Amino acid sequence: MSTRWLLPWPKWLSRSLTVPLLWAVFALPTISNTANADLGSIGMSGGYGLKIYKVNYALYPYVQVYFRTFDQSMHPLINLNDMNIGLMVKGQSYDPMKRQSFIQTLRQRPEATRTVLVLDASRSMAGPPFEASLTAAARYIDSKRPQDEVAILSIRDTKEGYDIVSQFERDPGALGRRLLDVRADGKKTRLYDSVGAAMQMCGMTSQGAISLGPENYVASCSIVVFSDGLDEGSALSREELNARITNMGIPIPVYSLAYSKLSQKYFTNLESLSKNSFGVYYLIGETMNKMQRVVEDIQNIVQSDYVVTFRSYVPVDGEEHSFKLGLEYPTGSGKLTYENAKFEAIQPPPVPQLQQFIQQLNQTIPALPPGSATPYFENNQSPVVGAPN
């Protein structure tokens, strides 16, 4: 695997190295090109599933695994703890009683999330529907964490078919002021081109950025679309956009709020994009007051991703090593699902910030005492979480 330092983000790359902590290397595992229509192939068992979307081994021997959980309605599993998680490195299962790993929600951590709000600003949405979408968008901004960033894109009669109202921004006040400038005066709705542009914004930023701390590392990027689903004159067709979504290595969920006081004829366009991207489709219809509750639900989903940090005992060799992340839910139910990924056993660069983070992790997950330096179950033990078939 080639090492890439400070290179641009390759479009639709399924696995790459990035640099979120100064010279640190963050790796993304190969992820199968699947979507909601085929949940069985992405670790789905017993009515729930998980999806690994990032693996960070910059702090080796510590490996951090970012993943999303979902039930059959695409909502996150709640209150997972160490006993819900099973780790298997090179075919050997970690013993959770040896305390060599821990789990946190993204909500508990400093990493940022990013969201692109896509507002249908065509004349057909003018009046109460558009006002309701602006209010809901403002609510989404108000409910984000301080480190999270939001961009705003409106569907307008420009050459591209959209207008970037705001690039990614953390300041809620600045975002609110720009939001108030949007007017519903467009003649056409190039919906697919606009969603495609939002995906490009996510694709260029979701891998993280050069920074001095984890609070500047972007863990995930999502798209929230407010529209009636009508597309007029996009260069991209729905099929082409869905094909692009399917072929992405890193899921960029599209959360759709389908609303209209005129017709629900085109709502299926939004439903298709959401179901194909690990997002959620919300049927608002004419009940505009549902929007604020919906955007709070979306914020909850985005912030409910999990991060498992474990100490690896594979010697530094510069090679890739496979591991499995297992999930048993509820605890003790015997309903298991596993997802595969990889990390590299590398020596971290001698950067002071990295060494500081490693020292902090050394206190949280101290090395096992000499003579028992293995995190795995002994031969006469049975794993708490069963091994996959």
Side-chain angles (χ1 to χ4, degrees), residues 141-178:
I141 292 168
D142 288 341
S143 60
K144 75 178 188 65
R145 301 173 303 164
Q147 68 267 41
D148 295 333
E149 301 178 359
V150 173
I152 304 170
L153 187 153
S154 65
I155 305 175
R156 303 288 297 279
D157 294 331
T158 64
K159 180 181 178 181
E160 295 81 11
Y162 58 88
D163 179 34
I164 298 178
V165 178
S166 176
Q167 295 284 354
F168 288 109
E169 171 68 63
R170 291 184 178 182
D171 182 3
L175 287 164
R177 290 189 293 272
R178 291 166 192 161

Side-chain angles (χ1 to χ4, degrees), residues 277-327:
S277 64
F278 298 99
V280 181
Y281 166 72
Y282 296 92
L283 175 57
I284 304 297
E286 297 185 21
T287 314
M288 305 300 173
N289 59 3
K290 290 172 55 177
M291 283 192 184
Q292 293 195 52
R293 295 195 301 272
V294 165
V295 295
E296 290 174 359
D297 185 64
I298 296 171
Q299 275 283 16
N300 177 62
I301 293 173
V302 170
Q303 296 179 26
S304 294
D305 287 351
Y306 288 93
V307 183
V308 165
T309 302
F310 69 91
R311 185 175 193 136
S312 171
Y313 285 79
V314 176
V316 171
D317 58 10
E319 301 292 330
E320 284 189 337
H321 299 278
S322 298
F323 71 94
K324 294 178 183 289
L325 179 68
L327 177 60

Side-chain angles (χ1 to χ4, degrees), residues 80-241:
L80 296 185
N81 58 54
D82 293 339
M83 298 309 295
N84 294 111
I85 300 301
L87 275 171
M88 184 179 289
V89 176
K90 300 180 69 174
Q92 293 182 284
S93 294
Y94 268 52
D95 181 350
M97 305 311 295
K98 294 184 179 180
R99 307 291 184 184
Q100 295 299 289
S101 67
F102 63 89
I103 184 172
Q104 296 172 298
T105 62
L106 199 59
R107 186 180 287 106
Q108 300 170 292
R109 296 176 59 87
E111 294 94 331
T113 67
R114 277 181 170 165
T115 305
V116 184
L117 303 181
V118 180
L119 296 166
D120 187 339
S122 59
R123 289 178 180 175
S124 63
M125 308 303 291
F130 188 68
E131 292 170 6
S133 68
L134 289 180
T135 302
R139 179 58 187 156
Y140 187 90
I141 292 168
D142 288 341
S143 60
K144 75 178 188 65
R145 301 173 303 164
Q147 68 267 41
D148 295 333
E149 301 178 359
V150 173
I152 304 170
L153 187 153
S154 65
I155 305 175
R156 303 288 297 279
D157 294 331
T158 64
K159 180 181 178 181
E160 295 81 11
Y162 58 88
D163 179 34
I164 298 178
V165 178
S166 176
Q167 295 284 354
F168 288 109
E169 171 68 63
R170 291 184 178 182
D171 182 3
L175 287 164
R177 290 189 293 272
R178 291 166 192 161
L179 192 63
L180 291 175
D181 291 335
V182 183
R183 298 289 182 268
D185 55 8
K187 297 179 181 179
K188 286 190 175 182
T189 309
R190 288 169 60 179
L191 173 66
Y192 303 139
D193 288 348
S194 301
V195 174
M199 289 171 57
Q200 286 186 317
M201 292 177 73
C202 278
M204 293 298 293
T205 58
S206 64
Q207 82 277 21
I210 303 170
S211 67
L212 296 178
E215 68 278 359
N216 292 321
Y217 178 58
V218 179
S220 67
C221 192
S222 306
I223 299 171
V224 179
V225 182
F226 301 83
S227 178
D228 62 0
L230 172 64
D231 180 86
E232 300 172 287
S234 282
L236 278 174
S237 67
R238 192 181 86 174
E239 291 71 24
E240 290 170 331
L241 183 57

Side-chain angles (χ1 to χ4, degrees), residues 348-367:
V351 177
Q353 290 89 342
L354 290 182
Q355 299 305 316
Q356 179 181 354
F357 291 130
I358 292 172
Q359 289 303 316
Q360 292 173 357
L361 286 171
N362 281 337
Q363 296 177 16
T364 306
I365 312 179

